[in-house]
Amino acid sequence: MRRFSLLGIIPLLLLLAAGEATAHALLDHAEPPVGNTVATPPREVTLWFTQKLEPAFSSVTVTNAAGQRVDSGKARVNGSQMSVALRPGGPGTYHVKWQVLSVDAHRTNGNFTFQVGQ
Ligand SMILES: [Cu+2]
């Protein structure tokens, strides 16, 4: 009885694991890298996701250490990649907030920081 129920659960777990791996656009990596320090304020931020994005419903905002928005407001989406241009914002901690709609029609969002050195 016990053996039977365990065997029945394994395919279900595999199915859930596979679904989770392909579901939703999650942040894969970014430039500047998440949590890293760069010497000078970057001219743009680029984010790479685990799934293709819907350009019309995907956006990213970037604020500098003073809390001022430094992004151009116009994110560019190319497949699973999203970039936004920045104006110079000085040194300190930058906050990046993103929200995207992936092609499977799921919304996800997140945020991270990077540092700009003096
Ligand atoms: Cu999904």
Side-chain angles (χ1 to χ4, degrees), residues 62-70 88-95:
V62 183
T63 51
N64 66 4
Q68 300 160 325
R69 270 186 73 172
V70 292
T93 302
Y94 282 57
H95 290 259

Side-chain angles (χ1 to χ4, degrees), residues 22-25 51 102 104-106:
T22 54
H24 316 322
Q51 202 172 85
S102 47
D104 70 354
H106 290 145

